[in-house]
Amino acid sequence: MLALIKRDVERIFSDDPGRLAHIKGVLATALFLARKHKVSLYRAALAALLHDITKPFSISRHRTLILFYYPEELLDIYTPPLYHAFSAAAFAEERYGIDDRAILNAIASHVVGRPRMSTLEKIIFISDYIEPNRPYEACREVREIAFKDLDRAVFQAMDNSIKLFETEDYVPDIAYRARDFYKLRGGSHE
């Protein structure tokens, strides 16, 4: 199945080399962190490859996938730029028959996160944030933390993202709850 997904990712993003490089960067980072934290490399690879697979879909197609697999309220809780996380998890289940909740949760949680994420969820969340193609200073700073303390890196990435996007009204309440949860887990060293 991994070979099929890799081929599909290459095909879907053949006209978007930047997105393809991002997905490959997330994959490499996720595999490194999975080894370090003794998480299944296969699960990490599947989640990393699939995390953005629906990114090029129309809002209408995101909504259709989401409504088939999730409660309708999700569309009110999250804004359209965040839909791809949930539609990607739904697509993984529909297209590839993936029914492993750990993988599906890691895909769905990769943009905003949530309190009490599994180690796999944290790995995909942080890999999406710090992969080597991210040029931002904040990403470089979190990258240094991630290889030492995953929870602290998750907190810092969430805190940075909230501060960056809250004025644009992209931040759902769960992001604040998740940030508070990881702050209490030792994430903040203020």
Side-chain angles (χ1 to χ4, degrees), residues 149 151-153 155 180-189:
D149 185 337
D151 282 345
R152 188 167 151 230
F155 165 78
D180 292 345
F181 177 83
Y182 286 98
K183 183 176 184 175
L184 293 173
R185 301 247 334 187
S188 176
H189 291 268

Side-chain angles (χ1 to χ4, degrees), residues 100-160:
D100 183 330
R101 292 306 321 163
I103 294 168
L104 298 174
N105 287 342
I107 296 167
S109 299
H110 87 268
V111 175
V112 175
R114 66 185 182 95
R116 293 178 185 80
M117 289 190 289
S118 70
T119 303
L120 177 60
E121 284 176 278
K122 290 186 275 189
I123 286 170
I124 300 303
F125 174 84
I126 208 65
S127 295
D128 183 53
Y129 189 86
I130 68 166
E131 63 92 1
N133 298 296
R134 300 279 197 198
Y136 318 110
E137 182 60 33
C139 297
R140 285 193 288 271
E141 291 170 4
V142 173
R143 192 176 297 129
E144 289 180 25
I145 298 167
F147 298 120
K148 299 175 196 153
D149 185 337
L150 196 57
D151 282 345
R152 188 167 151 230
V154 167
F155 165 78
Q156 194 59 59
M158 288 177 173
D159 192 53
N160 292 349

Side-chain angles (χ1 to χ4, degrees), residues 79 81 162-171:
T79 59
I162 287 170
K163 288 174 181 172
L164 182 63
F165 292 112
E166 69 186 338
T167 58
E168 297 176 38
D169 203 28
Y170 282 167
V171 183

